[in-house]
Structure formats: structure tokens, C-alpha cells
């Protein structure tokens, strides 16, 4: 099999989803060692050069336009990506973020990974967050992915049901949709330590993942944490990691940290007793799994997909029930 793998549009500092970014890099590292793939070509950008960590025999081509603003990304997604790939009936293109072109047909067979139907969710629950043009753009890409792909992979049975629901909404017969989950490597620095940490010190403190997007429910997280901290007289550190919605202030005795590089994130996760993960919509929800594998207790929103993925491990709470938290 000859496979082209496109991550040229991904950038650590600019991505809206760090989970999708990490998934895309980790899946590439696995594919690079599969003997069934006789020829693997990676389409990347310069910001990824030090992150790839793949064998020398893998051909990597770098492009600038996919990360040169919205216009560059649009041009890449809709036209330039397919232009880089010579027509070959025996070759495949793999899109680890989905979002195929709706302007032109793919010159080779197309395999896609769809993580969720978040833009459809926002269209119905937060219609004012994205412009009508942006929402329509991504929904048209979603439709093209279902229409053009020879096979679609996804991360959970919940996401598979979302893809099939969207195919029915578009009036399209879906290709095979395979739930392949997400792999977690014990070579990941965040997961390799089990119940200990590199310093040998006792775990302490709470690590809270926050985001500026409404479905991440960051305001709720801070409200519940403050209620819990006050009622239990907890005096340990509470770290808010990620981003915050505009106007949301950090409570006293909590520390805000912007998006952390992988090793710093891993170190903080290893040192924390608890990881808090709040959300109202996910395709998978990687952080509670990572916390469990690292020996850190996950406390997470009770969603259909977290029930599927976590299988009763950790502690789930109801978003509308502060006592549950």
C-alpha cells in the first residue's frame, strides 16, 4: 500500500483541539512502522519538524500555505492538497482530521478520520459563536468527507452514531464507518510513570483543563471548584490549564497556566492527585484516559461518550448537579 498522510494544516499553538493534534502525530508514528505500507509520504509544515519522530525512510514534504491564515488554509483544503498528489489508483490519502474538499475530487482513494460532529452541535446549541459562513463551510466539508471517502474511521461508537446521523441528514449513503478508538502509548512521557512521578514526591493538587469554547463549560468548572474548595477547606494548589473565555476571572488561590508544551503538561499531570475534565460534547475525551494511565484520578463530566470510553473508571459527575461534583 502507498499512503499519503496529510497534517500540513496542523499547528500546536493554533489548533482548536489539542487532542486531535496529538492523535494525528501519534497515529503517524504508528503507521510509519507498519510493514503493509510500502511507501509513506507525509505532508507537513515547518512547525511540525521537531514533533514527527518518525523513521528516516519516510518521505516528508513541507508546505507553508496551510498555516498562512484562513485564506491559506482554505486554499490548501479545497484545492492545493489534492494538487500535490499524483493520480494513482493504488494509492490512498489519509486525512486524520477529516474535512475533505467539496470543490474537487480526490485523485486517489480517500480514507478519513472523523472525530466528532462539533460544528453541527454548535449550529444547534451555540448558533452565534461561529459565523454562518464558517459553519456552512465546515458542514460542507463534513458532507464531502462522507461522500468522497472510501472508508471512515472514528474514535468511539458515539462518534460513529453521529457520523451516521449526519449522513442521513445529508441524504448520503455512508461508506464503511469503523470505530478504531484511540491508542495510548506507554512511551508517552505523561503515561509512562504509573502511580509514581519522576521526582518521587507525594502527589498533591488538582489539575483542571479549561477552554474558551462554550462546550468546555469552564465557567461551570470554576464555580464548582470554588464551592468544593470552600466546603472542604482544601488548601492545596489548583491549576487551570488551557484557555479561558473572555471575561472569566481566575478565582483567588487558583493558578492559571496557558497551553503547556507536552513535557510540562506531563510533569504537572504526574504530580497531581486529581484531573478535572468538564465538557458537554466530546467525540472521545482523551484527558480522563491519560490521567487514569498516569495514576492521576480523573473527575469528568458524565456524557454518553465518557461512559463508553471510561467504562466505570474514575469519577463521573453530572454537569447540572454541583453536589454530584
Amino acid at each position: 500500500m502507498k499512503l499519503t498522510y496529510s497534517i500540513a494544516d496542523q499547528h500546536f499553538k493554533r489548533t482548536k483541539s489539542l487532542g486531535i493534534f496529538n492523535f494525528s502525530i501519534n497515529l503517524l508514528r504508528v503507521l510509519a512502522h507498519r510493514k503493509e505500507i510500502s511507501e509513506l509520504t507525509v505532508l507537513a509544515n515547518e512547525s511540525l519538524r521537531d514533533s514527527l519522530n518518525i523513521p528516516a525512510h519516510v518521505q516528508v514534504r513541507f508546505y507553508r500555505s496551510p498555516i498562512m491564515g484562513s485564506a491559506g488554509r482554505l486554499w490548501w483544503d479545497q484545492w492545493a492538497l489534492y494538487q500535490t498528489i499524483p493520480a494513482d489508483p493504488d494509492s490512498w490519502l489519509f486525512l486524520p482530521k477529516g474535512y475533505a474538499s467539496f470543490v474537487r475530487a480526490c485523485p486517489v482513494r480517500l480514507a478519513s478520520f472523523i472525530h466528532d460532529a462539533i460544528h453541527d452541535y454548535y449550529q444547534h446549541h451555540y448558533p452565534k459563536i461561529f459565523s454562518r459562513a464558517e459553519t456552512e463551510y465546515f458542514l460542507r466539508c463534513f458532507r464531502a468527507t462522507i461522500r468522497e471517502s472510501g472508508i471512515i474511521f472514528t474514535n468511539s461508537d458515539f462518534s460513529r452514531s453521529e457520523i451516521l446521523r449526519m449522513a442521513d441528514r445529508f441524504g448520503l449513503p455512508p461508506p464503511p464507518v469503523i470505530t478504531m478508538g484511540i491508542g495510548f502509548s506507554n512511551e508517552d512521557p505523561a503515561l509512562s510513570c504509573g502511580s509514581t512521578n519522576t521526582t518521587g514526591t507525594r502527589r498533591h493538587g488538582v489539575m483542571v483543563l479549561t477552554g474558551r469554547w462554550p462546550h468546555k463549560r469552564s465557567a461551570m468548572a470554576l464555580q464548582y471548584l470554588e464551592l468544593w474548595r470552600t466546603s472542604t477547606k482544601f488548601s492545596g494548589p489548583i491549576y487551570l490549564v488551557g484557555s479561558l473565555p473572555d471575561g472569566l476571572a481566575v478565582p483567588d488561590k487558583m493558578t492559571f497556566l496557558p497551553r503547556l508544551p507536552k513535557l510540562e503538561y506531563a510533569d504537572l499531570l504526574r504530580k497531581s492527585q486529581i484531573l478535572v475534565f468538564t465538557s458537554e460534547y466530546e467525540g472521545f475525551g482523551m484527558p480522563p484516559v491519560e490521567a487514569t494511565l498516569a495514576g492521576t484520578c480523573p473527575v469528568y463530566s458524565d456524557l454518553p461518550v465518557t461512559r463508553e470510553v471510561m467504562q466505570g473508571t474514575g469519577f463521573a459527575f453530572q454537569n447540572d448537579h454541583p453536589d454530584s461534583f
Side-chain angles (χ1 to χ4, degrees):
M1 175 191 294
K2 290 183 284 186
L3 179 69
T4 299
Y5 189 88
S6 179
I7 50 174
D9 58 338
Q10 302 209 37
H11 193 289
F12 174 79
K13 293 183 178 179
R14 301 177 192 173
T15 183
K16 293 178 180 177
S17 173
L18 193 56
I20 292 177
F21 177 89
N22 289 332
F23 166 84
S24 301
I25 298 297
N26 290 334
L27 179 58
L28 169 61
R29 292 171 182 165
V30 173
L31 293 175
H33 291 89
R34 297 298 299 187
K35 295 180 179 179
E36 299 91 339
I37 301 174
S38 59
E39 184 178 320
L40 176 60
T41 302
V42 180
L43 311 182
N45 62 70
E46 285 291 341
S47 76
L48 301 173
R49 185 179 288 275
D50 296 331
S51 303
L52 298 180
N53 191 24
I54 51 179
H57 72 267
V58 176
Q59 180 183 358
V60 183
R61 304 206 303 258
F62 295 96
Y63 299 88
R64 293 186 59 193
S65 64
I67 56 172
M68 297 296 288
S70 298
R73 168 71 187 278
L74 189 151
W75 169 251
W76 175 259
D77 285 351
Q78 298 304 315
W79 195 264
L81 168 58
Y82 290 174
Q83 228 176 2
T84 69
I85 305 169
D88 184 344
D90 296 324
S91 293
W92 285 85
L93 169 65
F94 195 105
L95 299 179
K97 285 173 61 176
Y99 298 126
S101 169
F102 55 79
V103 172
R104 61 184 299 186
C106 186
V108 297
R109 290 184 289 180
L110 180 63
S112 304
F113 195 103
I114 295 180
H115 295 261
D116 52 46
I118 191 69
H119 281 87
D120 177 71
Y121 185 83
Y122 266 70
Q123 184 182 42
H124 290 90
H125 292 84
Y126 301 102
K128 296 182 180 180
I129 296 298
F130 297 106
S131 69
R132 182 176 298 180
E134 183 173 358
T135 298
E136 179 62 22
Y137 175 81
F138 282 106
L139 287 176
R140 290 186 70 178
C141 288
F142 200 115
R143 184 188 299 117
T145 303
I146 294 174
R147 185 183 65 243
E148 299 294 330
S149 297
I151 189 168
I152 293 174
F153 298 98
T154 192
N155 45 25
S156 64
D157 287 336
F158 170 77
S159 289
R160 183 176 186 274
S161 70
E162 288 283 84
I163 296 165
L164 296 177
R165 176 181 65 82
M166 293 296 290
D168 183 67
R169 171 183 164 182
F170 296 140
L172 294 172
V177 181
I178 309 300
T179 300
M180 62 175 271
I182 291 181
F184 294 84
S185 171
N186 59 10
E187 297 178 2
D188 189 317
L191 312 180
S192 59
C193 54
S195 60
T196 62
N197 56 59
T198 54
T199 63
T201 58
R202 183 178 178 180
R203 290 174 179 267
H204 68 291
V206 179
M207 181 177 177
V208 187
L209 301 186
T210 60
R212 66 188 183 93
W213 303 106
H215 76 281
K216 290 299 186 181
R217 300 299 298 273
S218 295
M220 178 196 73
L222 270 59
Q223 176 191 359
Y224 285 9
L225 281 162
E226 187 63 14
L227 289 170
W228 168 78
R229 188 189 65 78
T230 302
S231 65
T232 61
K233 297 181 172 55
F234 177 76
S235 59
I238 299 177
Y239 298 102
L240 312 177
V241 181
S243 58
L244 292 172
D246 293 340
L248 184 60
V250 177
D252 292 339
K253 300 184 179 179
M254 296 188 192
T255 302
F256 173 70
L257 302 170
R259 179 175 289 174
L260 296 173
K262 192 177 184 74
L263 291 179
E264 293 180 32
Y265 179 94
D267 187 57
L268 184 60
L269 182 62
R270 285 196 296 262
K271 293 177 179 177
S272 299
Q273 285 180 301
I274 298 166
L275 176 111
V276 175
F277 179 76
T278 58
S279 181
E280 63 185 39
Y281 183 93
E282 298 291 327
F284 186 92
M286 295 173 68
V289 179
E290 293 172 333
T292 302
L293 296 176
T296 302
C297 178
V299 174
Y300 54 89
S301 293
D302 187 5
L303 307 174
V305 73
T306 54
R307 288 195 293 272
E308 174 191 342
V309 169
M310 295 303 292
Q311 301 181 29
T313 56
F315 293 88
F317 70 92
Q318 300 166 28
N319 282 348
D320 58 353
H321 199 315
D323 287 342
S324 172
F325 179 83

